[in-house]
Amino acid sequence: MTSPRFHQPLSFGAELQSGGDVRFRLWAPAAETPPVLVLEDGRETPLSPAGDGWFEARVSADAGARYRYRLADGLMVPDPASRAQDEDVHGWSEVIDPAGYTWRATEWNGRPWREVVLYELHVGALAGDFEGVIAELDRLKDLGITAVELMPVADFPGDRNWGYDGVLPYAPDRAYGGVAGLKRLVDAAHERGLMMFLDVVYNHFGPDGNYLHAYAPQFFAEEVHTPWGPAIDFTQAAVRTFFIENALYWLNEYRFDGLRFDAAHAIDSAPNNDFLAELAARARA
């Protein structure tokens, strides 16, 4: 019997296709000339305009292929929807096969909310990495904990960070164990009857490694100020899609039981503040 395929198709980023191709898709509405897809093996492919600020290309590549985008001024940038970074936020993005991990607790369906005894933890401070957290799960269960919430793990600059300076919200930080390590942690928790929650940051990007201003300043509403700078502009359809699909990605591809939203008041201060209602409806569906 084959393991179920837990995969959230994404509008952004690198998506494996049947036949050995990968579709690369980037929203770069400020780009006057098409960005160029650069693979670590030396191949370069100009992205083709796809309308409404989108650019895309389909090339032959496998899981594990490393890539970046080159802008007209020569700046090399990672994929904003990178599922994994080979090094750090300034380095190569990596094509990931969502089916590359074989899940064990495939029948897990969560627990009733009334049973939740939530334990929030910082991966680095508690145990160093995802494997270290796995080693703590039995102790937490013995304490009476029924749900574990991870502080943000989206890729941040350097090896240690409190989590709220993440800049690549689809990429679990490699310093903690990356894609496979996070899936092993969620799986191990579910095997013990523990729910897993993730803290996500949808109100701002960290200052180091965020290249969106170079090709997609439309991500931000310059006239709306927050403690972290201009608000994210949720009036833009592509921006809404970026974050809604991120939530679905953590729920469907990593099988988290729920999400905690950082500074939701700052999300609501952005224009068109029905974003959270739309996100909740999509997640519940």
Side-chain angles (χ1 to χ4, degrees):
M1 180 177 178
T2 60
S3 175
R5 180 178 172 87
F6 296 99
H7 173 214
Q8 175 61 45
L10 302 179
S11 300
F12 288 75
E15 283 284 314
L16 285 167
Q17 309 292 301
S18 59
D21 289 346
V22 178
R23 184 227 66 196
F24 297 89
R25 202 158 186 257
L26 177 70
W27 191 59
E32 295 182 358
T33 59
V36 176
L37 169 69
V38 179
L39 293 172
E40 193 182 34
D41 63 13
R43 288 182 290 159
E44 298 188 2
T45 304
L47 301 180
S48 299
D52 296 325
W54 289 96
F55 295 87
E56 60 184 45
R58 183 165 172 157
V59 303
S60 175
D62 298 318
R66 293 166 175 82
Y67 67 99
R68 287 189 287 187
Y69 298 112
R70 188 175 67 236
L71 306 182
D73 62 1
L75 180 65
M76 300 282 280
V77 300
D79 188 341
S82 169
R83 279 179 163 92
Q85 288 297 106
D86 182 43
E87 296 170 354
D88 204 352
V89 296
H90 302 287
W92 296 93
S93 301
E94 183 177 339
V95 176
I96 294 295
D97 180 3
Y101 177 80
T102 301
W103 292 89
R104 300 183 303 270
T106 57
E107 301 302 315
W108 173 259
N109 283 311
R111 298 177 63 155
W113 182 249
R114 65 179 180 274
E115 296 180 3
V116 169
V117 180
L118 193 68
Y119 186 96
E120 180 184 15
L121 64 88
H122 183 280
V123 172
L126 176 78
D129 56 19
F130 298 136
E131 292 297 325
V133 177
I134 291 174
E136 296 283 346
L137 291 178
D138 289 330
R139 180 178 69 86
L140 296 178
K141 183 177 179 180
D142 289 343
L143 283 174
I145 303 302
T146 63
V148 172
E149 177 197 327
L150 304 182
M151 291 174 68
V153 300
D155 205 19
F156 48 75
D159 291 335
R160 290 292 180 263
N161 190 284
W162 72 328
Y164 298 95
D165 288 333
V167 292
L168 296 172
Y170 286 84
D173 199 278
R174 188 170 294 272
Y176 289 157
V179 173
L182 182 54
K183 289 181 178 180
R184 283 194 297 270
L185 171 54
V186 175
D187 215 7
H190 290 167
E191 287 181 311
R192 291 162 172 79
L194 299 173
M195 291 198 288
M196 286 293 296
F197 290 79
L198 180 65
D199 194 343
V200 293
V201 181
Y202 293 165
N203 60 80
H204 74 284
F205 292 86
D208 184 7
N210 171 24
Y211 291 93
L212 288 168
H213 285 283
Y215 58 87
Q218 291 85 344
F219 251 88
F220 305 95
E222 296 291 338
E223 71 281 5
V224 181
H225 300 283
T226 77
W228 306 276
I232 292 173
D233 188 358
F234 291 103
T235 66
Q236 300 283 347
V239 174
R240 294 167 80 95
T241 296
F242 183 85
F243 288 104
I244 288 173
E245 288 188 355
N246 183 258
L248 299 179
Y249 166 77
W250 293 121
L251 297 172
N252 293 330
E253 198 158 303
Y254 281 82
R255 307 183 65 214
F256 276 96
D257 296 276
L259 304 172
R260 179 263 181 186
F261 299 101
D262 176 56
H265 67 281
I267 299 173
D268 283 343
S269 72
N272 200 359
N273 63 6
D274 64 342
F275 165 73
L276 285 174
E278 180 184 354
L279 189 157
R282 289 283 301 278
R284 289 170 180 146

